[in-house]
PDB file of all heavy atoms in Angstrom:
ATOM      1  N   PHE A  41     -44.500 -36.344 -60.643  1.00 97.00           N
ATOM      2  CA  PHE A  41     -44.593 -34.957 -61.116  1.00 97.00           C
ATOM      3  C   PHE A  41     -45.317 -34.887 -62.465  1.00 97.00           C
ATOM      4  O   PHE A  41     -46.040 -33.919 -62.720  1.00 97.00           O
ATOM      5  CB  PHE A  41     -43.197 -34.333 -61.217  1.00 97.00           C
ATOM      6  CG  PHE A  41     -42.713 -33.742 -59.928  1.00 97.00           C
ATOM      7  CD1 PHE A  41     -41.698 -34.351 -59.215  1.00 97.00           C
ATOM      8  CD2 PHE A  41     -43.281 -32.583 -59.405  1.00 97.00           C
ATOM      9  CE1 PHE A  41     -41.260 -33.817 -58.007  1.00 97.00           C
ATOM     10  CE2 PHE A  41     -42.844 -32.039 -58.205  1.00 97.00           C
ATOM     11  CZ  PHE A  41     -41.828 -32.661 -57.510  1.00 97.00           C
ATOM     12  N   LEU A  44     -48.905 -34.815 -61.689  1.00 98.00           N
ATOM     13  CA  LEU A  44     -49.316 -33.517 -61.124  1.00 98.00           C
ATOM     14  C   LEU A  44     -49.354 -32.442 -62.210  1.00 98.00           C
ATOM     15  O   LEU A  44     -50.245 -31.580 -62.211  1.00 98.00           O
ATOM     16  CB  LEU A  44     -48.351 -33.112 -59.995  1.00 98.00           C
ATOM     17  CG  LEU A  44     -48.393 -33.996 -58.741  1.00 98.00           C
ATOM     18  CD1 LEU A  44     -47.354 -33.529 -57.721  1.00 98.00           C
ATOM     19  CD2 LEU A  44     -49.779 -33.967 -58.114  1.00 98.00           C
ATOM     20  N   LEU A  77     -32.716 -20.912 -57.446  1.00 96.00           N
ATOM     21  CA  LEU A  77     -32.573 -22.367 -57.522  1.00 96.00           C
ATOM     22  C   LEU A  77     -31.480 -22.772 -58.510  1.00 96.00           C
ATOM     23  O   LEU A  77     -30.695 -23.684 -58.242  1.00 96.00           O
ATOM     24  CB  LEU A  77     -33.915 -22.991 -57.928  1.00 96.00           C
ATOM     25  CG  LEU A  77     -34.131 -24.450 -57.510  1.00 96.00           C
ATOM     26  CD1 LEU A  77     -33.980 -24.630 -56.006  1.00 96.00           C
ATOM     27  CD2 LEU A  77     -35.488 -24.948 -57.970  1.00 96.00           C
ATOM     28  N   PHE A 113     -35.024 -19.476 -51.874  1.00 98.00           N
ATOM     29  CA  PHE A 113     -36.100 -19.952 -52.753  1.00 98.00           C
ATOM     30  C   PHE A 113     -37.323 -20.356 -51.936  1.00 98.00           C
ATOM     31  O   PHE A 113     -38.449 -19.939 -52.235  1.00 98.00           O
ATOM     32  CB  PHE A 113     -35.592 -21.139 -53.570  1.00 98.00           C
ATOM     33  CG  PHE A 113     -36.668 -21.864 -54.330  1.00 98.00           C
ATOM     34  CD1 PHE A 113     -37.072 -21.425 -55.577  1.00 98.00           C
ATOM     35  CD2 PHE A 113     -37.291 -22.991 -53.778  1.00 98.00           C
ATOM     36  CE1 PHE A 113     -38.083 -22.094 -56.276  1.00 98.00           C
ATOM     37  CE2 PHE A 113     -38.295 -23.647 -54.465  1.00 98.00           C
ATOM     38  CZ  PHE A 113     -38.688 -23.198 -55.711  1.00 98.00           C
ATOM     39  N   LEU A 114     -37.101 -21.152 -50.892  1.00 97.00           N
ATOM     40  CA  LEU A 114     -38.222 -21.620 -50.072  1.00 97.00           C
ATOM     41  C   LEU A 114     -38.930 -20.463 -49.368  1.00 97.00           C
ATOM     42  O   LEU A 114     -40.159 -20.459 -49.244  1.00 97.00           O
ATOM     43  CB  LEU A 114     -37.717 -22.612 -49.026  1.00 97.00           C
ATOM     44  CG  LEU A 114     -37.643 -24.077 -49.430  1.00 97.00           C
ATOM     45  CD1 LEU A 114     -37.245 -24.917 -48.233  1.00 97.00           C
ATOM     46  CD2 LEU A 114     -38.960 -24.563 -50.005  1.00 97.00           C
ATOM     47  N   GLU A 117     -41.195 -18.786 -51.804  1.00 97.00           N
ATOM     48  CA  GLU A 117     -42.360 -19.627 -52.099  1.00 97.00           C
ATOM     49  C   GLU A 117     -43.355 -19.596 -50.932  1.00 97.00           C
ATOM     50  O   GLU A 117     -44.566 -19.498 -51.142  1.00 97.00           O
ATOM     51  CB  GLU A 117     -41.908 -21.060 -52.360  1.00 97.00           C
ATOM     52  CG  GLU A 117     -43.002 -21.941 -52.930  1.00 97.00           C
ATOM     53  CD  GLU A 117     -42.440 -23.222 -53.514  1.00 97.00           C
ATOM     54  OE1 GLU A 117     -42.296 -24.198 -52.756  1.00 97.00           O
ATOM     55  OE2 GLU A 117     -42.130 -23.230 -54.721  1.00 97.00           O
ATOM     56  N   THR A 142     -50.973 -28.031 -55.020  1.00 98.00           N
ATOM     57  CA  THR A 142     -50.468 -29.412 -54.947  1.00 98.00           C
ATOM     58  C   THR A 142     -49.162 -29.549 -55.729  1.00 98.00           C
ATOM     59  O   THR A 142     -48.184 -30.114 -55.222  1.00 98.00           O
ATOM     60  CB  THR A 142     -51.508 -30.391 -55.520  1.00 98.00           C
ATOM     61  OG1 THR A 142     -52.734 -30.238 -54.796  1.00 98.00           O
ATOM     62  CG2 THR A 142     -51.029 -31.828 -55.390  1.00 98.00           C
ATOM     63  N   LEU A 143     -49.145 -29.014 -56.949  1.00 98.00           N
ATOM     64  CA  LEU A 143     -47.949 -29.137 -57.798  1.00 98.00           C
ATOM     65  C   LEU A 143     -46.774 -28.343 -57.235  1.00 98.00           C
ATOM     66  O   LEU A 143     -45.683 -28.894 -57.008  1.00 98.00           O
ATOM     67  CB  LEU A 143     -48.280 -28.655 -59.213  1.00 98.00           C
ATOM     68  CG  LEU A 143     -47.111 -28.588 -60.212  1.00 98.00           C
ATOM     69  CD1 LEU A 143     -46.431 -29.942 -60.346  1.00 98.00           C
ATOM     70  CD2 LEU A 143     -47.590 -28.090 -61.562  1.00 98.00           C
ATOM     71  N   VAL A 144     -46.996 -27.058 -56.972  1.00 98.00           N
ATOM     72  CA  VAL A 144     -45.892 -26.212 -56.480  1.00 98.00           C
ATOM     73  C   VAL A 144     -45.483 -26.631 -55.069  1.00 98.00           C
ATOM     74  O   VAL A 144     -44.295 -26.646 -54.728  1.00 98.00           O
ATOM     75  CB  VAL A 144     -46.302 -24.720 -56.525  1.00 98.00           C
ATOM     76  CG1 VAL A 144     -45.173 -23.841 -56.015  1.00 98.00           C
ATOM     77  CG2 VAL A 144     -46.662 -24.320 -57.953  1.00 98.00           C
ATOM     78  N   GLY A 145     -46.492 -26.995 -54.238  1.00 97.00           N
ATOM     79  CA  GLY A 145     -46.182 -27.417 -52.865  1.00 97.00           C
ATOM     80  C   GLY A 145     -45.377 -28.709 -52.833  1.00 97.00           C
ATOM     81  O   GLY A 145     -44.484 -28.864 -51.997  1.00 97.00           O
ATOM     82  N   THR A 146     -45.690 -29.643 -53.736  1.00 98.00           N
ATOM     83  CA  THR A 146     -44.927 -30.907 -53.775  1.00 98.00           C
ATOM     84  C   THR A 146     -43.469 -30.639 -54.147  1.00 98.00           C
ATOM     85  O   THR A 146     -42.551 -31.234 -53.559  1.00 98.00           O
ATOM     86  CB  THR A 146     -45.556 -31.877 -54.803  1.00 98.00           C
ATOM     87  OG1 THR A 146     -46.906 -32.146 -54.408  1.00 98.00           O
ATOM     88  CG2 THR A 146     -44.786 -33.184 -54.866  1.00 98.00           C
ATOM     89  N   HIS A 147     -43.262 -29.737 -55.093  1.00 98.00           N
ATOM     90  CA  HIS A 147     -41.880 -29.384 -55.442  1.00 98.00           C
ATOM     91  C   HIS A 147     -41.181 -28.720 -54.246  1.00 98.00           C
ATOM     92  O   HIS A 147     -40.028 -29.034 -53.936  1.00 98.00           O
ATOM     93  CB  HIS A 147     -41.867 -28.439 -56.647  1.00 98.00           C
ATOM     94  CG  HIS A 147     -40.488 -27.998 -57.039  1.00 98.00           C
ATOM     95  ND1 HIS A 147     -39.903 -26.857 -56.522  1.00 98.00           N
ATOM     96  CD2 HIS A 147     -39.569 -28.555 -57.871  1.00 98.00           C
ATOM     97  CE1 HIS A 147     -38.686 -26.734 -57.031  1.00 98.00           C
ATOM     98  NE2 HIS A 147     -38.462 -27.744 -57.836  1.00 98.00           N
ATOM     99  N   GLY A 148     -41.892 -27.817 -53.569  1.00 97.00           N
ATOM    100  CA  GLY A 148     -41.307 -27.150 -52.399  1.00 97.00           C
ATOM    101  C   GLY A 148     -40.964 -28.139 -51.300  1.00 97.00           C
ATOM    102  O   GLY A 148     -39.938 -27.991 -50.612  1.00 97.00           O
ATOM    103  N   LEU A 149     -41.813 -29.165 -51.144  1.00 97.00           N
ATOM    104  CA  LEU A 149     -41.537 -30.199 -50.136  1.00 97.00           C
ATOM    105  C   LEU A 149     -40.260 -30.963 -50.496  1.00 97.00           C
ATOM    106  O   LEU A 149     -39.440 -31.268 -49.621  1.00 97.00           O
ATOM    107  CB  LEU A 149     -42.729 -31.157 -50.079  1.00 97.00           C
ATOM    108  CG  LEU A 149     -42.848 -32.055 -48.839  1.00 97.00           C
ATOM    109  CD1 LEU A 149     -42.952 -31.227 -47.558  1.00 97.00           C
ATOM    110  CD2 LEU A 149     -44.053 -32.973 -48.973  1.00 97.00           C
ATOM    111  N   HIS A 150     -40.081 -31.235 -51.773  1.00 98.00           N
ATOM    112  CA  HIS A 150     -38.855 -31.910 -52.214  1.00 98.00           C
ATOM    113  C   HIS A 150     -37.625 -31.033 -51.942  1.00 98.00           C
ATOM    114  O   HIS A 150     -36.579 -31.534 -51.534  1.00 98.00           O
ATOM    115  CB  HIS A 150     -38.936 -32.225 -53.717  1.00 98.00           C
ATOM    116  CG  HIS A 150     -39.688 -33.484 -54.030  1.00 98.00           C
ATOM    117  ND1 HIS A 150     -41.042 -33.620 -53.828  1.00 98.00           N
ATOM    118  CD2 HIS A 150     -39.270 -34.680 -54.529  1.00 98.00           C
ATOM    119  CE1 HIS A 150     -41.415 -34.842 -54.189  1.00 98.00           C
ATOM    120  NE2 HIS A 150     -40.368 -35.503 -54.615  1.00 98.00           N
ATOM    121  N   VAL A 151     -37.752 -29.727 -52.199  1.00 98.00           N
ATOM    122  CA  VAL A 151     -36.627 -28.819 -51.930  1.00 98.00           C
ATOM    123  C   VAL A 151     -36.299 -28.832 -50.430  1.00 98.00           C
ATOM    124  O   VAL A 151     -35.122 -28.839 -50.034  1.00 98.00           O
ATOM    125  CB  VAL A 151     -36.957 -27.384 -52.400  1.00 98.00           C
ATOM    126  CG1 VAL A 151     -35.857 -26.402 -51.963  1.00 98.00           C
ATOM    127  CG2 VAL A 151     -37.099 -27.353 -53.921  1.00 98.00           C
ATOM    128  N   THR A 152     -37.353 -28.861 -49.599  1.00 98.00           N
ATOM    129  CA  THR A 152     -37.134 -28.911 -48.141  1.00 98.00           C
ATOM    130  C   THR A 152     -36.363 -30.165 -47.746  1.00 98.00           C
ATOM    131  O   THR A 152     -35.401 -30.110 -46.968  1.00 98.00           O
ATOM    132  CB  THR A 152     -38.486 -28.887 -47.407  1.00 98.00           C
ATOM    133  OG1 THR A 152     -39.217 -27.727 -47.804  1.00 98.00           O
ATOM    134  CG2 THR A 152     -38.293 -28.858 -45.902  1.00 98.00           C
ATOM    135  N   PHE A 187     -32.209 -32.599 -60.418  1.00 97.00           N
ATOM    136  CA  PHE A 187     -33.528 -33.065 -60.842  1.00 97.00           C
ATOM    137  C   PHE A 187     -34.600 -32.042 -60.454  1.00 97.00           C
ATOM    138  O   PHE A 187     -35.512 -31.733 -61.244  1.00 97.00           O
ATOM    139  CB  PHE A 187     -33.806 -34.429 -60.189  1.00 97.00           C
ATOM    140  CG  PHE A 187     -35.229 -34.884 -60.298  1.00 97.00           C
ATOM    141  CD1 PHE A 187     -35.723 -35.381 -61.501  1.00 97.00           C
ATOM    142  CD2 PHE A 187     -36.089 -34.833 -59.208  1.00 97.00           C
ATOM    143  CE1 PHE A 187     -37.047 -35.805 -61.611  1.00 97.00           C
ATOM    144  CE2 PHE A 187     -37.404 -35.248 -59.306  1.00 97.00           C
ATOM    145  CZ  PHE A 187     -37.883 -35.739 -60.510  1.00 97.00           C
ATOM    146  N   LEU A 188     -34.495 -31.482 -59.251  1.00 97.00           N
ATOM    147  CA  LEU A 188     -35.470 -30.482 -58.806  1.00 97.00           C
ATOM    148  C   LEU A 188     -35.397 -29.226 -59.672  1.00 97.00           C
ATOM    149  O   LEU A 188     -36.414 -28.552 -59.895  1.00 97.00           O
ATOM    150  CB  LEU A 188     -35.239 -30.124 -57.333  1.00 97.00           C
ATOM    151  CG  LEU A 188     -35.511 -31.246 -56.334  1.00 97.00           C
ATOM    152  CD1 LEU A 188     -35.285 -30.762 -54.908  1.00 97.00           C
ATOM    153  CD2 LEU A 188     -36.934 -31.761 -56.495  1.00 97.00           C
ATOM    154  N   ASP A 189     -34.207 -28.896 -60.150  1.00 95.00           N
ATOM    155  CA  ASP A 189     -34.052 -27.756 -61.073  1.00 95.00           C
ATOM    156  C   ASP A 189     -34.842 -27.983 -62.358  1.00 95.00           C
ATOM    157  O   ASP A 189     -35.542 -27.097 -62.844  1.00 95.00           O
ATOM    158  CB  ASP A 189     -32.577 -27.581 -61.437  1.00 95.00           C
ATOM    159  CG  ASP A 189     -31.892 -26.593 -60.528  1.00 95.00           C
ATOM    160  OD1 ASP A 189     -32.553 -26.100 -59.607  1.00 95.00           O
ATOM    161  OD2 ASP A 189     -30.705 -26.326 -60.744  1.00 95.00           O
ATOM    162  N   VAL A 191     -37.381 -29.982 -62.839  1.00 97.00           N
ATOM    163  CA  VAL A 191     -38.823 -29.930 -62.555  1.00 97.00           C
ATOM    164  C   VAL A 191     -39.278 -28.475 -62.425  1.00 97.00           C
ATOM    165  O   VAL A 191     -40.329 -28.086 -62.950  1.00 97.00           O
ATOM    166  CB  VAL A 191     -39.146 -30.714 -61.263  1.00 97.00           C
ATOM    167  CG1 VAL A 191     -40.615 -30.520 -60.868  1.00 97.00           C
ATOM    168  CG2 VAL A 191     -38.856 -32.193 -61.459  1.00 97.00           C
ATOM    169  N   TRP A 192     -38.471 -27.651 -61.743  1.00 97.00           N
ATOM    170  CA  TRP A 192     -38.872 -26.258 -61.544  1.00 97.00           C
ATOM    171  C   TRP A 192     -38.923 -25.491 -62.869  1.00 97.00           C
ATOM    172  O   TRP A 192     -39.805 -24.646 -63.073  1.00 97.00           O
ATOM    173  CB  TRP A 192     -37.929 -25.547 -60.568  1.00 97.00           C
ATOM    174  CG  TRP A 192     -38.291 -24.087 -60.435  1.00 97.00           C
ATOM    175  CD1 TRP A 192     -37.682 -23.025 -61.023  1.00 97.00           C
ATOM    176  CD2 TRP A 192     -39.398 -23.560 -59.700  1.00 97.00           C
ATOM    177  NE1 TRP A 192     -38.335 -21.862 -60.703  1.00 97.00           N
ATOM    178  CE2 TRP A 192     -39.394 -22.150 -59.887  1.00 97.00           C
ATOM    179  CE3 TRP A 192     -40.390 -24.143 -58.898  1.00 97.00           C
ATOM    180  CZ2 TRP A 192     -40.342 -21.310 -59.298  1.00 97.00           C
ATOM    181  CZ3 TRP A 192     -41.340 -23.299 -58.311  1.00 97.00           C
ATOM    182  CH2 TRP A 192     -41.303 -21.905 -58.516  1.00 97.00           C
ATOM    183  N   ILE A 193     -37.986 -25.754 -63.759  1.00 96.00           N
ATOM    184  CA  ILE A 193     -38.012 -25.058 -65.057  1.00 96.00           C
ATOM    185  C   ILE A 193     -39.323 -25.380 -65.792  1.00 96.00           C
ATOM    186  O   ILE A 193     -39.967 -24.493 -66.367  1.00 96.00           O
ATOM    187  CB  ILE A 193     -36.779 -25.469 -65.900  1.00 96.00           C
ATOM    188  CG1 ILE A 193     -35.517 -24.850 -65.286  1.00 96.00           C
ATOM    189  CG2 ILE A 193     -36.938 -24.997 -67.346  1.00 96.00           C
ATOM    190  CD1 ILE A 193     -34.227 -25.353 -65.884  1.00 96.00           C
ATOM    191  N   LEU A 195     -42.062 -26.259 -64.318  1.00 96.00           N
ATOM    192  CA  LEU A 195     -43.114 -25.639 -63.505  1.00 96.00           C
ATOM    193  C   LEU A 195     -43.198 -24.130 -63.784  1.00 96.00           C
ATOM    194  O   LEU A 195     -44.290 -23.575 -63.931  1.00 96.00           O
ATOM    195  CB  LEU A 195     -42.774 -25.917 -62.036  1.00 96.00           C
ATOM    196  CG  LEU A 195     -43.873 -25.819 -61.003  1.00 96.00           C
ATOM    197  CD1 LEU A 195     -43.566 -26.753 -59.846  1.00 96.00           C
ATOM    198  CD2 LEU A 195     -43.981 -24.410 -60.513  1.00 96.00           C
TER     199      LEU A 195
END
Side-chain angles (χ1 to χ4, degrees):
F41 274 109
L44 293 178
L77 204 56
F113 170 85
L114 272 185
E117 191 165 88
T142 303
L143 175 57
V144 180
T146 300
H147 178 269
L149 197 59
H150 277 68
V151 173
T152 304
F187 167 76
L188 293 182
D189 267 3
V191 173
W192 176 259
I193 289 171
L195 200 151

